[in-house]
Amino acid sequence: MSEPVQSPPDPQTPATRFISLRWRFLSPLAFVLIIVAMTGAYLLATRLSRGLDEAETNMLLQTVQSAAQRASERYEQQRSEAVRLAFTRGIPEAIAAEQARSLAQSLETIAAAAGLDSIIVTGPDGVEVAGLVHIPSQDDFALSTATDLSDEPLIQRVLAADEASTDSSGLMQTADGLMVYTGVPIQPDEQLVGAALVGQRLENILAALQGTAGADIALYDSDGQMLLASFALDDETLSALTVDGAVFRQASTTAAVIVAAQTQINDLPYRTAYAPLDYGDSRLGIMAVFLPNSVPYATEAGRQMTA
């Protein structure tokens, strides 16, 4: 018998591809695992961002409360020194006799001991009897006399103080810059003889408010104009620190802390909160507290993990 002849393979017929049972099982499983991993990474990033958001918001609120507490402590210190000055023996007599030089010696001792930047003593007409300003570069005090301060709102409030309100605080522009003063009337035997004011430079108040929390702070007056900030200021930074009118009105008319939208300063994202800057019973303006915002970086890391 003749052997059967095998016909050559038809080149038009595709060869059958062999796929093992192992790959048929593992391929869909790997695909599912990839989807699960991406979903897990997304959920993890979302949870991380949410957790960071809550933690950093709480830290921001705590920082605002700490700054407000330090403002209160600084006010109490100033008020205590002003009261001590008003009740110092010989002060009323020196005011009445307009003995500026002898008065200055007592004032300098008090200012140096308390770490004050300025002391002002006026007569009942608001005219300065003696005023001291600390000169840091010389570590000494400069004396001024006879300056008419009767038009200063703070001086007027102090001299008009009654039993219900015996002290007042406020900002005053001096030849050495803005100062925060707290003043009390000098009235031995209930007879008004003048006013005693103790003050510190606004930059020193700002440094005290910052403390060691690592936050940046900007201070604004009652009209919303920025007075001072811990940031290095340029045109771009000044624009970023401008307060929205609605936010300012809300912050200046309530005791609540206003958490605002993210602020971009020097190409970095910051969380921002606004709160009234109260100094005793006086409201000096508002303060803005800034803390770095880490959420955008966490969100970007999550996006890269799922990309």
Side-chain angles (χ1 to χ4, degrees):
M1 294 181 61
S2 61
E3 296 181 357
V5 179
Q6 295 182 353
S7 59
D10 186 355
Q12 300 298 322
T13 303
T16 302
R17 300 178 65 181
F18 175 75
I19 301 177
S20 69
L21 290 176
R22 176 183 298 175
W23 279 109
R24 290 188 181 189
F25 173 75
L26 291 180
S27 295
L29 180 60
F31 181 72
V32 171
L33 289 176
I34 290 174
I35 293 177
V36 170
M38 293 177 65
T39 303
Y42 171 78
L43 294 175
L44 178 61
T46 302
R47 169 173 281 186
L48 177 62
S49 298
R50 188 180 298 116
L52 271 176
D53 184 65
E54 293 177 357
E56 291 184 355
T57 299
N58 288 335
M59 183 179 296
L60 179 65
L61 294 174
Q62 291 171 6
T63 303
V64 173
Q65 292 174 355
S66 296
Q69 178 62 32
R70 284 190 284 269
S72 177
E73 292 170 355
R74 187 54 58 102
Y75 157 76
E76 290 294 344
Q77 178 193 8
Q78 282 193 352
R79 182 181 182 279
S80 175
E81 293 301 328
V83 170
R84 185 160 73 94
L85 173 60
F87 282 93
T88 297
R89 180 173 298 179
I91 295 293
E93 293 77 12
I95 293 174
E98 297 184 355
Q99 298 173 342
R101 293 293 175 182
S102 61
L103 185 57
Q105 295 177 357
S106 299
L107 301 185
E108 185 171 337
T109 300
I110 294 173
L116 299 171
D117 293 317
S118 177
I119 291 182
I120 297 174
V121 172
T122 77
D125 56 357
V127 176
E128 177 187 57
V129 177
L132 292 182
V133 173
H134 182 243
I135 310 300
S137 60
Q138 302 176 12
D139 194 23
D140 199 1
F141 290 87
L143 172 66
S144 62
T145 62
T147 305
D148 188 353
L149 301 174
S150 60
D151 289 334
E152 288 286 347
L154 177 58
I155 299 292
Q156 293 174 354
R157 293 199 304 271
V158 173
L159 291 174
D162 53 27
E163 293 182 0
S165 177
T166 58
D167 65 86
S168 189
S169 299
L171 293 162
M172 279 180 56
Q173 184 69 51
T174 71
D176 200 48
L178 272 175
M179 298 256 189
V180 178
Y181 285 96
T182 298
V184 298
I186 302 174
Q187 43 189 4
D189 302 322
E190 300 183 359
Q191 179 68 37
L192 180 67
V193 299
L197 295 94
V198 302
Q200 290 181 300
R201 289 181 174 85
L202 188 60
E203 55 264 34
N204 290 338
I205 297 294
L206 176 63
L209 297 183
Q210 276 188 276
T212 58
D216 282 290
I217 294 179
L219 304 180
Y220 302 81
D221 66 14
S222 56
D223 295 322
Q225 297 298 313
M226 194 186 69
L227 300 171
L228 193 64
S230 57
F231 291 100
L233 298 178
D234 53 31
D235 291 342
E236 184 178 351
T237 307
L238 285 170
S239 177
L241 292 176
T242 301
V243 185
D244 177 77
V247 172
F248 176 79
R249 286 190 294 273
Q250 187 177 3
S252 59
T253 57
T254 180
V257 177
I258 309 301
V259 178
Q262 175 178 293
T263 305
Q264 200 79 7
I265 302 175
N266 297 330
D267 297 325
L268 296 175
Y270 284 87
R271 295 178 180 276
T272 310
Y274 298 93
L277 179 55
D278 290 333
Y279 215 70
D281 293 332
S282 303
R283 180 159 293 183
L284 305 183
I286 67 170
M287 62 178 170
V289 177
F290 305 87
L291 281 178
N293 186 359
S294 304
V295 171
Y297 302 108
T299 302
E300 177 62 17
R303 189 191 68 77
Q304 292 180 2
M305 290 172 64
T306 57

